[in-house]
């Protein structure tokens, strides 16, 4: 078992993150069912479309609280390094793809993908730190 | 920063896990400190000193 799972902060993280991810999934389904394609912006469509974003924000807050509340300082440092690598990874993709979009006719990268890309960056960070410490 | 954790541990016949439990940190943390990959914060350094009943400067040495 990874030592982070034994940190009491991780239990608190799960109690925050799991409900938020369930709300996110439900909100995505709700928005897909309730809002027709190419619907114009109205208070109702905006309200429904904001729900998944709100759930996403809670997930990001839960991840931030994990970093703040972790008691093992070395494991916290590892997680912070991973988050920094993920941030660099996501920013590099956003900047590079954005310039490609500006100068060529590549498909547009939906902005809502930035959070999943950042999460993918955590895996890159994990791999990088593993290779570096080997 | 160099340290004498491994020697002090060996003198007491403690494993890294034993020391980790006494310090309330992970075994990975003890390993990282012992191998010089990570320098502990001052509060953790004081806890380490307390566990070995020594002064910080008796355990950690400048490079």
């Amino acid at each position: 078992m990874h030592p982070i799972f034994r940190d009491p902060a991780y239990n608190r993280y799960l109690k925050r993150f799991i409900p938020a991810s369930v709300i996110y999934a439900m909100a995505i389904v709700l928005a897909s069912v309730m809002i027709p394609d190419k619907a114009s912006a109205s208070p109702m469509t905006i309200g429904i479309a904001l729900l998944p974003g709100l759930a996403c924000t809670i997930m990001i807050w839960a991840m931030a609280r994990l970093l703040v509340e972790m008691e093992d300082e070395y494991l916290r440092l590892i997680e912070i390094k991973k988050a920094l690598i993920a941030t660099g990874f996501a920013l590099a993709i956003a900047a590079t793809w954005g310039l490609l979009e500006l100068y060529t006719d590549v498909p547009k990268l939906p902005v809502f993908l930035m959070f999943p890309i950042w999460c993918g960056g955590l895996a890159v960070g994990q791999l990088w730190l593993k290779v570096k410490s080997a | 920063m160099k340290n004498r954790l491994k020697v002090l541990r060996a003198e007491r016949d403690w494993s890294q896990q034993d020391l980790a439990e006494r310090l309330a940190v992970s075994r990975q943390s003890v390993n990282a400190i012992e191998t010089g990959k990570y320098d502990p914060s001052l509060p953790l350094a004081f806890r380490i000193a307390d566990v070995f009943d020594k002064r910080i400067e008796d355990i950690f040495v400048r490079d």
Side-chain angles (χ1 to χ4, degrees):
Chain A
M1 192 189 349
H2 192 282
I4 193 176
F5 301 145
R6 285 191 283 268
D7 198 308
Y10 191 75
N11 280 333
R12 291 194 292 275
Y13 161 74
L14 289 180
K15 282 179 188 161
R16 293 162 179 160
F17 191 88
I18 291 174
S21 57
V22 170
I23 292 169
Y24 174 77
M26 288 167 63
I28 286 285
V29 171
L30 180 77
S32 304
V33 170
M34 297 277 291
I35 306 176
D37 286 349
K38 313 264 185 199
S40 58
S42 69
M44 194 192 78
T45 55
I46 289 173
I48 294 171
L50 278 177
L51 279 176
L54 182 67
C56 240
T57 305
I58 295 171
M59 288 154 78
I60 293 165
W61 169 78
M63 294 166 101
R65 290 306 305 169
L66 175 66
L67 295 182
V68 171
E69 294 173 6
M70 277 180 74
E71 290 171 12
D72 190 307
E73 61 182 54
Y74 171 68
L75 296 180
R76 185 171 58 227
L77 177 70
I78 296 290
E79 293 306 310
I80 288 170
K81 281 183 178 176
K82 276 164 53 182
L84 283 174
I85 291 169
T87 304
F89 178 76
L91 288 175
I93 286 181
T96 308
W97 198 264
L99 288 165
L100 275 174
E101 284 181 18
L102 187 64
Y103 294 116
T104 72
D105 60 352
V106 294
K108 290 224 177 295
L109 180 70
V111 180
F112 72 85
L113 284 180
M114 286 320 297
F115 180 50
I117 289 171
W118 184 86
C119 291
L122 289 177
V124 174
Q126 172 97 34
L127 191 66
W128 171 255
L129 294 175
K130 202 164 196 164
V131 168
K132 209 175 149 211
S133 71
Chain B
M1 194 163 56
K2 290 176 190 163
N3 66 74
R4 298 182 57 237
L5 273 192
K6 195 170 183 177
V7 174
L8 293 168
R9 224 172 25 80
E11 285 172 2
R12 288 156 182 79
D13 200 22
W14 291 349
S15 65
Q16 286 187 343
Q17 185 63 42
D18 293 333
L19 178 57
E21 284 167 13
R22 283 174 165 85
L23 293 170
V25 298
S26 62
R27 189 196 59 76
Q28 285 77 358
S29 296
V30 169
N31 184 57
I33 295 167
E34 200 170 286
T35 54
K37 284 181 189 162
Y38 175 69
D39 291 332
S41 67
L42 204 48
L44 180 53
F46 272 115
R47 265 165 40 214
I48 293 169
D50 288 344
V51 160
F52 288 117
D53 198 21
K54 299 220 175 261
R55 296 176 308 167
I56 288 178
E57 56 267 40
D58 295 331
I59 301 172
F60 295 96
V61 186
R62 266 187 270 187
D63 281 328

